[in-house]
Amino acid sequence: MNVRAQLVMVFNLDKCIGCHACSISCKNIWTDRKGAEYMWWNNVETKPGVGYPRKWEDQETFKGGWLRDGSRLKLRALGKGPTLLNMFFQPNMPKLDDYYEPFDFDYSNLYKAPPGSDQPVAEAFSQISGKRMEEITGGPNWDDDLSGSQTYAASDVNLEDRSIVEDYGRMFMQYLPRICNHCLNPACVASCPSRALYKRGEDGVVLVDQEVCKGWRFCTSACPYKKVYFNWQSGKAEKCIFCFPRVESGQCNACAHSCVGRIRHVGVLLYDADRVEEALLRADDELVAAQRSVILNPRDPRVREAARANGVSEQWLTAAEKSPVYALVKEFGVALPLHPEFRTMPMAWYIPSLSPVISSGRDLHELADHGTFPLMETMRAPISYLANLLAGGNREIIAEILRKLIALRLYKRADTLGQTLETSILHNAGLDRASADRLYRLFTIAPYGERFLIPAQQREEQDPQQRKGTAGFGILKKTRGAR
């Protein structure tokens, strides 16, 4: 058992209000310099929609992530031959138009313009060329709140029934906040010819060594989530760093700290690195269960002993034992990885959204005799859509989580109104009153110290080989050695 520790973030999609406070806080701290104007390490997308960069989920176009090749994994677009041929050109990388040409406005013209009969305006200019832009055709969150638009929603690769966008009564919308997933099997790390990207041994954060990076951009092509960016000014790759200067001192990430909806939880997971490859070789609809099986119980004495042998401190073991992330991902099983079929084993997890609560109507859910929820099969956000987004197409896992979330709401509604609720409703969803109360607390009233449980690090006490050596363990070692 090769036990490793990983910092993980969980997002509750039912609570995201799309305010973009997370994106702005990240932007102000990390990407406010020349060459990084178009970088949004944290962004919030409207779903259904094309996302940022446009259609990043379409791996037939961008060819990111991994594929099963018999009994092993291989990068979808790379190998010895393609690596050499594409050393100076990346045919599958998003173009600037897939993001947007970064722009600003000439506000100085408002007070420097000569006297005239017209009101002066602040004209747009390109932050790359400095030239005036006659027309702006894209920008960050360009399709924000346009899930009903046939231009954007109909192009969402997760949407099986595209007739939904033509029927206003069936249209739905949810927000999807995204950061780098700091995957257990990161394609960006495996694809880098110069080995500039690496996964830290003490917390699993994936970083870019700017001194080593040669700007080949294989990482951008290989990342299926397109969360590695190219700085056109410095010629280096840049990405989300999980706010490691903050988390090393026990503070939570800037995006999580600023979240108005309190949708995020940050904590520690322990996992068995030796089982990562085996789990990733499963079929698409089995990947969620396989990924959960890699996550270990931090209260198991054998797991703790193996973790200590790998240099995991007692402080981190304690944090893993109390981790809100472990409770949501493993104990309650209500959180899911984003597009597990990309086979990078992402470490950002999402709690699926529920339909809007209704007061009356037809086809009410069989569990909701008070007229609170529609039938699961007729929810505004189709199970098929959520399954394609979060479960590799496995609808049963989505339905299981939705039943749990519905039962929790019914229980708390009855408790608040002084009504009685059949215990079978909780039991059939895999809950009892104690676990329902605990889950409700995590979702709603848990204070800062319970939502963010991040142990401080003493990096000077870490083995230098461990700090930068995990790009070579497990599956990454085999894959990179084969290249």
Side-chain angles (χ1 to χ4, degrees):
M1 204 164 31
N2 185 5
V3 180
R4 303 275 178 167
Q6 173 78 39
L7 281 175
V8 178
M9 187 177 293
V10 172
F11 305 77
N12 190 343
L13 297 183
D14 216 27
K15 297 176 65 179
C16 182
I17 62 175
C19 66
H20 304 286
C22 50
S23 301
I24 297 302
S25 63
C26 176
K27 188 72 176 171
N28 286 339
I29 295 175
W30 300 117
T31 59
D32 61 346
R33 61 197 169 279
K34 195 169 182 60
E37 298 90 348
Y38 79 105
M39 297 182 194
W40 293 87
W41 291 359
N42 181 113
N43 70 297
V44 182
E45 301 172 1
T46 297
K47 287 294 185 182
V50 294
Y52 183 81
R54 292 187 178 103
K55 296 188 177 181
W56 62 269
E57 295 162 291
D58 183 5
Q59 302 313 322
E60 294 300 320
T61 299
F62 293 123
K63 302 187 185 306
W66 302 83
L67 289 174
R68 287 191 300 172
D69 184 16
S71 60
R72 68 184 186 94
L73 294 174
K74 68 174 184 178
L75 291 170
R76 185 182 292 267
L78 299 175
K80 287 184 179 180
T83 297
L84 291 173
L85 291 174
N86 298 330
M87 188 66 74
F88 301 102
F89 173 65
Q90 293 294 323
N92 304 313
M93 192 177 76
K95 309 297 189 293
L96 187 61
D97 289 343
D98 295 315
Y99 299 97
Y100 68 99
E101 185 171 359
F103 58 88
D104 203 348
F105 296 95
D106 184 12
Y107 295 108
S108 63
N109 188 55
L110 296 178
Y111 54 88
K112 286 184 178 179
S117 58
D118 296 328
Q119 175 71 27
V121 297
E123 294 182 315
F125 65 91
S126 169
Q127 290 183 297
I128 296 178
S129 66
K131 296 180 180 179
R132 174 184 173 185
M133 298 177 66
E134 296 292 340
E135 182 181 6
I136 298 175
T137 58
N141 306 108
W142 192 250
D143 61 338
D144 198 17
D145 294 341
L146 292 178
S147 68
S149 165
Q150 296 184 27
T151 304
Y152 300 106
S155 299
D156 191 321
V157 298
N158 305 295
L159 194 62
E160 294 181 358
D161 183 5
R162 300 186 187 278
S163 66
I164 289 179
V165 299
E166 301 173 359
D167 185 348
Y168 181 79
R170 297 170 60 204
M171 198 58 234
F172 67 97
M173 186 183 80
Q174 68 177 40
Y175 297 110
L176 180 71
R178 294 204 301 124
I179 64 172
C180 169
N181 293 286
H182 299 277
C183 309
L184 298 190
N185 184 36
C188 59
V189 173
S191 67
C192 180
S194 56
R195 298 179 180 265
L197 286 97
Y198 63 97
K199 187 172 178 66
R200 299 207 309 184
E202 66 269 32
D203 55 16
V205 174
V206 176
L207 298 176
V208 183
D209 189 331
Q210 296 285 300
E211 298 297 324
V212 177
C213 178
K214 301 296 188 296
W216 299 121
R217 289 172 280 186
F218 286 98
C219 51
T220 302
S221 295
C223 175
Y225 304 96
K226 295 299 172 274
K227 276 300 176 180
V228 186
Y229 300 86
F230 179 72
N231 187 310
W232 55 267
Q233 175 72 15
S234 67
K236 305 287 187 178
E238 297 187 20
K239 61 178 293 297
C240 161
I241 60 175
F242 208 75
C243 285
F244 75 81
R246 295 172 63 96
V247 299
E248 284 179 1
S249 60
Q251 303 177 70
C252 78
N253 318 63
C255 59
H257 192 96
S258 64
C259 180
V260 174
R262 291 160 54 109
I263 77 165
R264 304 185 186 215
H265 298 77
V266 182
V268 178
L269 288 182
L270 300 179
Y271 68 95
D272 187 352
D274 288 340
R275 295 167 58 188
V276 170
E277 182 175 17
E278 176 189 353
L280 291 172
L281 288 171
R282 305 292 288 273
D284 286 358
D285 59 355
E286 299 174 354
L287 285 171
V288 171
Q291 187 164 337
R292 284 177 179 167
S293 70
V294 171
I295 299 169
L296 303 173
N297 183 355
R299 302 175 184 90
D300 187 331
R302 295 175 302 169
V303 171
R304 298 173 72 87
E305 191 59 35
R308 293 187 188 99
N310 266 352
V312 180
S313 68
E314 292 299 325
Q315 187 179 15
W316 275 65
L317 290 176
T318 301
E321 188 175 349
K322 300 178 180 178
S323 172
V325 167
Y326 180 77
L328 295 170
V329 171
K330 186 77 170 183
E331 290 186 46
F332 295 113
V334 294
L336 298 168
L338 180 63
H339 286 297
E341 71 275 10
F342 295 164
R343 287 181 165 78
T344 62
M345 200 165 282
M347 285 292 106
W349 294 68
Y350 294 82
I351 299 169
S353 58
L354 276 174
S355 292
V357 175
I358 60 175
S359 59
S360 63
R362 297 177 300 174
D363 298 330
L364 298 180
H365 196 280
E366 64 271 13
L367 297 181
D369 54 357
H370 300 292
T372 309
F373 289 96
L375 281 165
M376 194 179 298
E377 295 75 13
T378 60
M379 282 186 169
R380 294 289 292 272
I383 291 180
S384 61
Y385 181 84
L386 296 175
N388 290 336
L389 186 69
L390 301 172
N394 190 325
R395 302 186 185 189
E396 288 302 316
I397 290 181
I398 296 293
E400 178 184 345
I401 294 175
L402 294 182
R403 279 193 291 268
K404 196 167 293 187
L405 299 179
I406 290 171
L408 177 63
R409 285 209 183 179
L410 292 174
Y411 165 67
K412 293 308 296 183
R413 184 176 188 269
D415 185 56
T416 302
L417 298 177
Q419 300 173 346
T420 58
L421 183 73
E422 294 182 13
T423 56
S424 61
I425 293 179
L426 286 176
H427 178 74
N428 292 338
L431 296 171
D432 55 29
R433 291 184 180 274
S435 60
D437 286 336
R438 185 180 169 211
L439 189 57
Y440 168 78
R441 181 178 177 86
L442 277 174
F443 282 170
T444 56
I445 61 175
Y448 180 97
E450 293 182 25
R451 289 184 294 119
F452 309 119
L453 199 57
I454 305 170
Q457 302 176 38
Q458 298 294 328
R459 300 202 77 234
E460 64 274 13
E461 297 178 0
Q462 294 285 340
D463 182 350
Q465 194 64 31
Q466 183 198 25
R467 288 210 302 267
K468 195 176 173 180
T470 48
F473 74 78
I475 183 172
L476 291 179
K477 182 176 181 180
K478 299 175 184 176
T479 304
R480 298 185 67 167
R483 296 184 63 249

